[in-house]
């Protein structure tokens, strides 16, 4: 388990974080689409005029709110989202302790809108910090994402012993 800080930029770490975010966003997107579809269907049949406005502005807002709620809840409760757990990542404070609600909220506030998240990641990469695994809001919250196991690995078992030699 790696909990120490890293001053060297690790592209693999950021690729894993991006992949975990994509996995989590697919999960949230499906949930948001179901919720939004149910709301839109009721609006469409009751007045239909708000359909275009609601889809264009309401859906991204709903996704942002659901992402913040999902990420904060999962990181406070389990230390990682489903995507992070699948890829062997975990969110911790910089001293290695469990993330609190306020720290999780601060580190995830940029997920309210995709442009804010992009700026958060660009700032993290462009402005060198003490720990290169932190996005900008991680630095503000005092949190970091660490690898707790190798991604896509299964539990290693020792190979079976060789068969006994044949009798002469």
């Amino acid at each position: 388990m790696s909990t120490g800080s890293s001053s060297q930029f690790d592209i693999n770490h950021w690729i894993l974080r991006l992949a975990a975010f994509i996995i989590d966003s697919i999960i949230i997107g499906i949930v948001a689409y179901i919720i939004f579809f149910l709301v839109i269907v009721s609006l469409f049949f009751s007045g239909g005029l708000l359909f275009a406005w609601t889809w264009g502005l309401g859906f991204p807002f709903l996704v942002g709110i659901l992402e913040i709620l999902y990420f904060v809840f999962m990181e406070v409760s389990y230390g990682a989202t489903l995507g992070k757990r699948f890829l062997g990542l975990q969110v911790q404070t910089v001293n290695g302790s469990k993330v609190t609600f306020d720290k999780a909220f601060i580190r995830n506030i940029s997920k309210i809108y995709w442009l804010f998240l992009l700026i958060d990641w660009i700032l993290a990469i462009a402005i060198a910090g003490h720990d290169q695994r932190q996005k900008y809001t991680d630095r503000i919250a005092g949190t970091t994402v660490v690898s707790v196991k190798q991604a896509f690995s299964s539990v290693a078992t020792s190979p079976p012993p060789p068969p006994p030699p044949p009798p002469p």
Side-chain angles (χ1 to χ4, degrees):
M1 184 157 131
S2 171
T3 58
S5 64
S6 172
S7 60
Q8 182 178 356
F9 184 76
D10 182 10
I11 190 71
N12 291 332
H13 175 78
W14 288 95
I15 290 171
L16 285 175
R17 283 185 73 166
L18 178 61
F21 178 73
I22 291 170
I23 291 168
D24 292 325
S25 292
I26 290 170
I27 294 167
I28 294 300
I30 291 169
V31 171
Y33 186 78
I34 291 168
I35 293 170
F36 203 72
F37 182 74
L38 295 173
V39 170
I40 287 299
V41 166
S42 66
L43 285 176
F44 183 73
F45 287 116
S46 67
L49 187 58
L50 296 174
F51 180 75
W53 176 85
T54 313
W55 181 256
L57 297 176
F59 187 73
F61 181 72
L62 177 65
V63 170
I65 294 297
L66 288 176
E67 281 195 346
I68 289 174
L69 293 174
Y70 167 78
F71 279 84
V72 170
F73 174 77
M74 292 296 288
E75 290 171 2
V76 169
S77 300
Y78 304 104
T81 60
L82 294 175
K84 285 184 185 79
R85 291 179 76 168
F86 180 70
L87 295 174
L89 300 172
Q90 185 177 32
V91 180
Q92 300 176 349
T93 62
V94 291
N95 63 10
S97 62
K98 188 175 177 180
V99 177
T100 59
F101 177 82
D102 56 334
K103 290 182 181 296
F105 182 78
I106 291 168
R107 76 174 300 278
N108 288 302
I109 194 67
S110 64
K111 291 180 177 89
I112 191 78
Y113 187 63
W114 68 269
L115 185 59
F116 298 148
L117 182 62
L118 181 64
I119 291 169
D120 191 9
W121 281 47
I122 289 171
L123 285 174
I125 294 168
I127 302 171
H130 176 67
D131 186 348
Q132 291 296 314
R133 298 171 302 186
Q134 293 176 303
K135 58 187 179 96
Y136 193 74
T137 52
D138 278 328
R139 294 178 193 164
I140 295 169
T143 57
T144 189
V145 176
V146 297
S147 295
V148 291
K149 69 176 178 115
Q150 187 170 355
F152 306 112
S153 68
S154 61
V155 177
T157 59
S158 58

